[in-house]
Amino acid sequence: MNGEHHYRLRSTWTGDRGTGTSGYREYDRAVTLEVDGKPAIAASADKPFRGDPAKWNPEELLLAALSECHLLSYLHACVTTGVVVTGYEDDASGTLQEDGNSGGAFTEVTLRPRVRVADESMVEAALAAHKQAREWCFIANSVNFPVHHEPEVTVG
């Protein structure tokens, strides 16, 4: 599966209140994100940046991308090592630090996957599979801040 992969997305600003960007407080931060053939996602800026807290914001989408990429990479790593995963949840968190000049950056993300496996004999390999998943995760390999992992594995 070597090679280039290309992705396309349409972002449409839907926040014109009739006067465009005539002032910082005069427009809504509403955006619609679309990929052909998939449901649209209603997005906005985060609330501290004059956005709509009921909509997804870019920071949440980045955190979601990291969490989902690790999950999918992890499931693949488990298949290759014979670990049968029967449940997976992640309580991910991230820290964004503003720089005082209207910019900023994420400084870290922590993924907290809670994994359930089919048998006690799989616990050690299930924990080790997180390292392989980290190496395979395209999104984690694309960011310039640490992505920490605090996994838990249970049997059931």
Side-chain angles (χ1 to χ4, degrees):
M1 193 173 93
N2 291 337
E4 286 186 347
H5 303 270
H6 302 274
Y7 303 90
R8 297 178 66 86
L9 169 92
R10 184 177 313 104
S11 298
T12 305
W13 175 53
T14 57
D16 184 358
R17 294 179 179 152
T19 60
T21 57
S22 61
Y24 185 71
R25 300 180 193 291
E26 305 308 314
Y27 62 96
D28 195 309
R29 275 57 176 178
V31 174
T32 300
L33 304 173
E34 297 172 283
V35 172
D36 287 343
K38 297 179 184 181
I41 296 175
S44 181
D46 194 12
K47 185 177 179 179
F49 308 110
R50 305 198 52 79
D52 182 345
K55 296 179 180 175
W56 284 85
N57 63 59
E59 296 81 11
E60 292 167 332
L61 290 167
L62 176 61
L63 187 59
L66 284 163
S67 178
E68 181 182 0
C69 188
H70 184 81
L71 181 157
L72 295 171
S73 298
Y74 178 78
L75 295 178
H76 179 69
C78 286
V79 166
T80 65
T81 58
V83 173
V84 178
V85 176
T86 60
Y88 186 114
E89 292 181 354
D90 182 15
D91 289 320
S93 63
T95 302
L96 181 140
Q97 180 64 52
E98 290 187 71
D99 65 9
N101 295 314
S102 298
F106 271 84
T107 57
E108 68 177 344
V109 161
T110 301
L111 305 179
R112 294 177 187 83
R114 292 186 314 276
V115 178
R116 191 173 56 253
V117 297
D119 189 83
E120 182 70 35
S121 65
M122 300 174 178
V123 170
E124 188 175 322
L127 286 167
H130 285 286
K131 181 179 185 301
Q132 182 65 65
R134 170 57 179 95
E135 292 173 9
W136 286 344
C137 178
F138 303 138
I139 308 301
N141 289 327
S142 300
V143 299
N144 66 352
F145 52 83
V147 179
H148 307 288
H149 302 90
E150 297 176 0
E152 293 179 23
V153 177
T154 59
V155 178

